Amino acid sequence: MKSAKTKKKASRILVFIMKILVGIIMFSPIIWVITGSFKTLTEFTSSSDIFPQKGTLENYKYIFYHSNYVLYVRNTVLLMAGTTVGTLISSSLVAYPLARMEFPGKNLIFSLIVGTMMIPNIALIVPQYIMFGKAGWLDSLLPMIVPAFFAYPYNVFLFRQFFRSIPKELDEAATMDGCSRIGIFFRVLIPLSKSTFTTIGVLSCVFWWNELTQPVFYINSDKWRTLTIALMTTFMYTSGNAFVINWPSIMAASTLMILPPMLLYLFGSRFLVEGIKTSGLKG
């Protein structure tokens, strides 16, 4: 009996140690970025120590006083908010009739929507660039915000799966009370879908906060530059004949950029798990 308990206790300790090791491996890049933000450029390039010998806040002062960091944050927040609002509105409205109504070709339409998920986004960049160029939208946030109001297939899929898990008897009861189709959507489905809205909202926010490919293609001027572009270009300069990359300032800007997604996941983790679980209840 004691032997069994000892083995069980030893296995738990071993699992705990393995979790700690995996956690250290996963978080080591983040720790390296954070500690690097407190180093001087000379120390960063000459020393391989993880922790700084003498910490400094000059890198954080530099990004605020010697760059348009606040402007980049504003642009990124506008991009994130516009695309998230657009995809929540459009994707939920597209998913509603596919989940709750009966009409000819419904399954075919849904199959086509899901099928578009197989097309890589990068394959659409060039035709979209030409189209948005003719519309005069280049060097702005419009090429990224406007398409969000036409629904993203994956989000439509998640909304549809969750809407199908809600009993249709609620629709019938609402109809008997004089509620229209659009009224059922706003008064019945939306209040019951908070977890799904939160899940898709958080995933969208994090995606557009970290997105680089589309901003690089569509934005040319500093006026609409996002944080991801700024990390590539702002902290590089020439000193005489040498090309200098201010790595500690990049680390400081990256540290500040990491915080919002971490806070989003921290406060939305409960809804994220619930939303992902419930979105697959009914096929």
Side-chain angles (χ1 to χ4, degrees), residues 3-215:
S3 178
K5 287 183 177 181
T6 303
K7 288 182 179 179
K8 190 174 182 180
K9 187 176 180 180
S11 63
R12 287 181 178 178
I13 294 173
L14 182 61
V15 169
F16 181 72
I17 293 173
M18 290 297 295
K19 287 181 178 180
I20 292 177
L21 291 175
V22 171
I24 292 173
I25 293 171
M26 291 181 65
F27 281 97
S28 56
I30 298 176
I31 295 171
W32 182 73
V33 168
I34 295 173
T35 56
S37 68
F38 294 101
K39 294 180 179 180
T40 63
L41 180 58
T42 303
E43 182 184 356
F44 188 91
T45 54
S46 62
S47 174
S48 59
D49 295 338
I50 296 178
F51 297 98
Q53 296 175 0
K54 188 178 180 181
T56 177
L57 294 175
E58 290 301 317
N59 300 311
Y60 291 92
K61 293 179 182 178
Y62 179 85
I63 65 176
F64 283 107
Y65 292 108
H66 298 279
S67 71
N68 294 324
Y69 189 79
V70 176
L71 175 66
Y72 305 146
V73 171
R74 187 210 68 173
N75 294 339
T76 307
V77 170
L78 286 175
L79 174 62
M80 180 181 67
T83 51
T84 300
V85 170
T87 193
L88 288 176
I89 293 173
S90 59
S91 298
S92 59
L93 286 173
V94 170
Y96 172 52
L98 292 174
R100 312 296 288 185
M101 301 179 190
E102 296 297 333
F103 55 89
K106 182 181 77 170
N107 293 331
L108 175 62
I109 293 172
F110 178 68
S111 298
L112 291 174
I113 291 174
V114 174
T116 59
M117 293 170 60
M118 300 175 65
I119 304 174
N121 290 331
I122 195 67
L124 304 175
I125 285 287
V126 173
Q128 286 178 341
Y129 184 89
I130 297 172
M131 180 178 66
F132 294 140
K134 292 181 179 180
W137 288 0
L138 295 181
D139 198 23
S140 72
L141 302 179
L142 291 177
M144 293 164 281
I145 293 178
V146 173
F149 284 85
F150 290 87
Y152 288 120
Y154 179 70
N155 296 334
V156 172
F157 173 78
L158 285 181
F159 273 120
R160 176 184 177 271
Q161 294 302 96
F162 183 81
F163 290 161
R164 283 173 62 88
S165 70
I166 299 174
K168 285 193 175 182
E169 287 77 11
L170 294 176
D171 294 14
E172 298 170 0
T175 302
M176 292 179 63
D177 290 337
C179 203
S180 62
R181 285 287 188 184
I182 196 69
I184 293 172
F185 176 74
F186 283 104
R187 297 182 182 180
V188 178
L189 293 185
I190 288 183
L192 294 174
S193 308
K194 291 180 181 178
S195 60
T196 304
F197 273 90
T198 303
T199 299
I200 294 175
V202 170
L203 293 177
S204 176
C205 284
V206 173
F207 174 82
W208 287 106
W209 182 264
N210 297 321
E211 173 65 357
L212 173 63
T213 304
Q214 294 186 58

